Amino acid sequence: MRTWDELFEGCEFEAVHLELRDRYDVDDEYFADWLAGRLTAATHAGRWSSFCSTVAAATARGVQVRRLRVVSMPASEYIRYEHAGTPATVRSGEEVRWLDRAAAPDVHLPITDLWVFDRSLVRWNIFNGDDRFLRFDDVEDPGLAARLVDSFDSAWKRGVPHQDFVI
């Protein structure tokens, strides 16, 4: 399985990321620090520094990196935490939009988080019922990837840019 760096280095024009969960690994130490009011903006940005460097290198080559977070409102504490940390990834060149789940019941999306690279490789993000990450499943299928990006794009159009989304 390819590393994140390999996926982004091999990406030529587009990487899209769809997030559909209202909570992720709730045992995350950064999340605990954020809940306790101990997480500074610098520490929050530091958590994502490796990812941000990878995204910055890709966007500097002309790769468009987009993330859509479909969330329930009012937002969970975890989504509030993610929202607080998103400026770091936006500064790296990632475009982030937020979509209130209730505002798009007619949008057809997969049931699992995913990445799609260059409309050819799909990386499914598999979690268990306790919000813990289990594994990635990579599938190279341009037809599936194109359909998923089309679904992503229909939801993306309804999404609110990060700087305008109020939690």
Side-chain angles (χ1 to χ4, degrees):
M1 181 162 300
R2 286 177 265 187
T3 67
W4 287 111
D5 285 342
E6 291 169 336
L7 287 169
F8 276 95
E9 287 168 6
C11 191
E12 295 179 12
F13 64 91
E14 177 184 57
V16 301
H17 186 189
L18 178 63
E19 293 183 349
L20 300 163
R21 302 177 64 84
D22 287 318
R23 291 185 344 165
Y24 292 85
D25 188 1
V26 293
D27 293 333
D28 179 326
E29 67 185 78
Y30 290 97
F31 179 52
D33 285 344
W34 182 82
L35 284 172
R38 295 186 301 262
L39 188 64
T40 66
T43 305
H44 208 127
R47 175 188 187 190
W48 296 107
S49 63
S50 177
F51 176 77
C52 290
S53 295
T54 299
V55 168
T59 58
R61 292 191 335 270
V63 175
Q64 182 182 35
V65 180
R66 297 183 293 156
R67 179 188 309 246
L68 178 66
R69 290 184 168 133
V70 181
V71 298
S72 302
M73 296 299 284
S76 69
E77 285 299 315
Y78 196 90
I79 293 301
R80 291 176 185 283
Y81 160 70
E82 281 194 330
H83 190 270
T86 298
T89 65
V90 170
R91 283 191 299 274
S92 73
E94 182 181 44
E95 298 173 59
V96 178
R97 290 190 183 181
W98 300 80
L99 179 61
D100 179 349
R101 189 178 318 279
D106 58 327
V107 173
H108 297 271
L109 292 170
I111 60 172
T112 303
D113 289 14
L114 60 88
W115 280 88
V116 178
F117 293 89
D118 288 338
R119 292 184 180 240
S120 62
L121 180 117
V122 178
R123 173 166 277 189
W124 299 106
N125 298 256
I126 309 300
F127 293 84
N128 71 13
D130 292 327
D131 306 311
R132 287 178 177 76
F133 174 76
L134 294 177
R135 69 182 184 278
F136 297 117
D137 288 338
D138 289 355
V139 177
E140 295 213 31
D141 182 337
L144 171 63
R147 288 190 306 276
L148 289 167
V149 173
D150 287 346
S151 293
F152 177 94
D153 286 342
S154 68
W156 178 261
K157 290 174 187 170
R158 295 191 194 185
V160 177
H162 173 73
Q163 65 273 14
D164 299 328
F165 190 75
V166 178
I167 291 283

